[in-house]
Amino acid sequence: MTDALERDARALLEEYDSGAWSPSAEDVRLAEDLARTHWDGSAFRAALRDIPEAARARRLVDILDPATAALESTTPSEARPALLALRQLVDALAAG
């Protein structure tokens, strides 16, 4: 699960950096919220619960949803590469 999360986060960051993907305003707000919070499963779950319905079908949420399970079901060392990739994506979006 963490390998797929890492791959997907890196791929979306590459698309963002190249201009092939443009995040919505909801994606950016979600990234800004996540950039300011302590990362654990409950924080991700709360962030995803509170987003507008329109943002639920977005690509960022498709990556964040499995991140919740990864944070809750793996050890920090197992999840570290995936979370680093996800953190780079969130920070890039939050910095806009």
Side-chain angles (χ1 to χ4, degrees):
M1 176 185 320
T2 58
D3 290 341
L5 176 59
E6 180 182 4
R7 181 193 64 236
D8 292 347
R10 290 193 189 288
L12 192 55
L13 179 58
E14 287 176 20
E15 289 182 36
Y16 174 68
D17 286 342
S18 72
W21 174 69
S22 296
S24 69
E26 290 89 4
D27 290 329
V28 172
R29 276 193 294 277
L30 178 56
E32 289 170 345
D33 289 345
L34 287 173
R36 291 188 304 261
T37 191
H38 173 73
W39 282 28
D40 61 23
S42 63
F44 271 66
R45 194 172 306 288
L48 293 174
R49 182 180 52 243
D50 295 338
I51 63 172
E53 189 62 36
R56 294 194 184 280
R58 304 291 299 184
R59 292 185 63 201
L60 182 59
V61 172
D62 288 344
I63 293 172
L64 293 174
D65 204 21
T68 301
L71 284 166
E72 293 174 337
S73 66
T74 62
T75 66
S77 62
E78 291 172 328
R80 186 170 288 121
L83 294 177
L84 177 60
L86 189 56
R87 186 69 202 207
Q88 291 169 336
L89 171 62
V90 165
D91 287 349
L93 296 177

